[in-house]
Amino acid sequence: MDTKTDIKALSRAQLESALAEFGQPAFRASQIVRWLYQRGAFSFEQMSDLPVGLRSALEERFALSVPEVARRQVSADGTRKYLVRFADGVSVETVGLPAADRLTVCFSTQAGCAMGCSFCATGRGGLTRDLTPGEMLDQLTLVASDFGSRISNAVAMGQGEPFANYDALLAALRYMNAKDGVGVGARHLTVSTCGLLPGIARFATEPEQFTLAVSLHSAKQSTRDRLMPAVRKYRLRELRAALVAYAEATGRRPTLEYALVGGVNDGGDELAALVGFCSGLLCHVNLIPVNPVSGTGMTRPAAETARRFRDALMRAGVETSVRVERGADIDAACGQLRQRTKG
Ligand code: SAH
Ligand code: SF4
């Protein structure tokens, strides 16, 4: 196996310092970024605007891996799901969501996830490994090429907990945002976290206007502890304080995701707790009727429940939407992404 570092594992600062070691000016980094993330280059040889000597120096020092699409599924609603396999054989799932004026990519930040939320397919298999920045970017590149269209939005809502892989995530978001990268506006880049407070605090200090989404799923401590055991140590009170601080520091409105599970977090007491949590908080609530995952025993409440929650939240002055499900027929909906597909 190749033991050279993959060039796509480098942040821009790391790429620039590697080039400085070769005695190259910083603008070379931009040329390489274009080759990697705009043109999907598969060799250094192809990089025709780089001096030949630099191309062979890069070749000697770095690997340049390109993932393959091991499986592609198309939903009746146009959503496409890909099983993306990296050079070491590890695979993740990526989803492309087309709309009239948009193409959104739901990308993975880790292979698997260590958080083990009880309603989520990804959490069931545990964590395999973190993805590199390039492996996050490659997911966008392959969706853009499969649809033959530019990416307008990207959401870190595939497999993995983004803030458990913070540095690689940030490096990836910056390439996604950059003019010489994918060119997606920062506000159209959304990160969803299960609520790792150090990550939220750090994200608030980033200069870009990225969008934050936080998985809440219950504003009652005992229910949330049961649904999301890995984040027990961050109490709801502290989470709320972190969101207040985030909104103050950035002036931006975080989204709170709430997967409605029948008989678990859809009762009147849960609704009252949720209204209490959101009152006076700059936020937007996104209700997601839970998507069935076999073996979890979690079922959807009646459609009327989402309306009841939305109406009560709106009456309390909390902006609320109900997420429209996409790609459920190919298991591409929220929480249905697994590490490996059988057959
Ligand atoms: N790990 C991150 C991001 C990936 S999950 C996080 O947890 O936020 C993206 C969203 O899908 C999260 O809000 C997650 O809680 C939600 N989700 C997970 N399983 C789900 C399911 N079975 N039905 C509906 N939403 C689910
Ligand atoms: Fe991980 Fe998010 Fe799934 Fe929880 S919901 S197990 S944090 S991917």
Side-chain angles (χ1 to χ4, degrees):
M1 214 188 130
D2 208 330
T3 52
K4 290 188 275 193
T5 305
D6 195 313
I7 193 158
K8 294 186 196 169
L10 306 183
S11 66
R12 188 182 295 262
Q14 289 168 327
L15 181 60
E16 284 173 358
S17 72
L19 286 163
E21 281 173 38
F22 291 137
Q24 295 288 330
F27 73 86
R28 295 283 182 219
S30 185
Q31 289 176 298
I32 293 170
V33 169
R34 277 176 219 276
W35 280 108
L36 296 178
Y37 303 128
Q38 288 185 352
R39 300 180 193 144
F42 47 82
S43 75
F44 293 110
E45 190 49 47
Q46 270 178 299
M47 302 183 180
S48 51
D49 53 1
L50 300 185
V52 178
L54 175 59
R55 280 185 255 166
S56 47
L58 289 169
E59 176 84 53
E60 242 167 69
R61 166 90 179 270
F62 295 109
L64 198 178
S65 70
V66 181
E68 57 175 23
V69 176
R71 189 171 179 200
R72 174 180 178 274
Q73 288 166 276
V74 180
S75 162
D77 67 16
T79 300
R80 299 182 195 173
K81 183 172 83 165
Y82 309 84
L83 180 68
V84 179
R85 190 180 294 139
F86 300 114
D88 63 354
V90 167
S91 53
V92 299
E93 290 184 317
T94 305
V95 182
L97 300 128
D101 54 348
R102 286 200 305 269
L103 176 58
T104 301
V105 178
C106 175
F107 67 98
S108 295
T109 55
Q110 298 181 304
C113 183
M115 299 297 152
C117 300
S118 61
F119 44 84
C120 173
T122 305
R124 314 212 104 207
L127 175 68
T128 300
R129 68 167 172 84
D130 285 336
L131 299 193
T132 66
E135 288 171 332
M136 295 180 216
L137 265 294
D138 284 341
Q139 298 173 62
L140 272 61
T141 310
L142 71 85
V143 174
S145 100
D146 190 47
F147 278 90
S149 165
R150 69 169 283 273
I151 306 296
S152 62
N153 300 68
V155 297
M157 293 190 187
Q159 292 179 17
E161 166 46 44
F163 287 165
N165 187 18
Y166 194 100
D167 292 340
L169 169 80
L170 237 288
L173 291 175
R174 292 196 166 134
Y175 285 133
M176 289 175 188
N177 180 224
K179 288 272 181 306
D180 57 10
V182 189
V184 179
R187 288 163 193 267
H188 296 148
L189 293 167
T190 300
V191 175
S192 174
T193 177
C194 62
L196 302 185
L197 301 193
I200 295 174
R202 200 171 149 195
F203 205 56
T205 68
E206 305 298 351
E208 296 89 350
Q209 306 262 299
F210 299 130
T211 299
L212 176 68
V214 174
S215 297
L216 183 65
H217 303 321
S218 177
K220 280 182 68 180
Q221 194 66 59
S222 55
T223 309
R224 191 165 194 265
D225 287 351
R226 224 174 327 125
L227 291 172
M228 309 175 73
V231 288
R232 263 170 206 233
K233 64 178 169 206
Y234 303 120
R235 311 310 285 166
L236 279 164
R237 192 172 20 84
E238 298 169 301
L239 173 60
R240 195 176 184 285
L243 291 169
V244 169
Y246 173 88
E248 267 170 19
T250 63
R252 278 170 285 145
R253 180 188 297 269
T255 295
L256 299 179
E257 295 158 287
Y258 195 103
L260 280 163
V261 187
V264 174
N265 63 0
D266 65 339
D269 54 338
E270 293 281 349
L271 176 54
L274 179 59
V275 169
F277 187 90
C278 297
S279 298
L281 186 68
L282 189 66
C283 68
H284 171 108
V285 173
N286 194 206
L287 300 168
I288 318 163
V290 77
N291 294 306
V293 171
S294 64
T296 62
M298 306 269 175
T299 54
R300 280 186 175 196
E304 128 67 25
T305 307
R307 277 197 299 274
R308 183 163 51 86
F309 267 60
R310 189 195 52 200
D311 293 348
L313 286 157
M314 300 282 266
R315 269 198 308 275
V318 182
E319 196 184 290
T320 306
S321 55
V322 180
R323 189 174 295 177
V324 179
E325 175 184 79
R326 302 277 307 265
D329 55 337
I330 54 168
D331 278 354
C334 300
Q336 295 186 317
L337 305 185
R338 290 165 198 282
Q339 292 197 59
R340 268 166 243 283
T341 54
K342 293 176 194 73

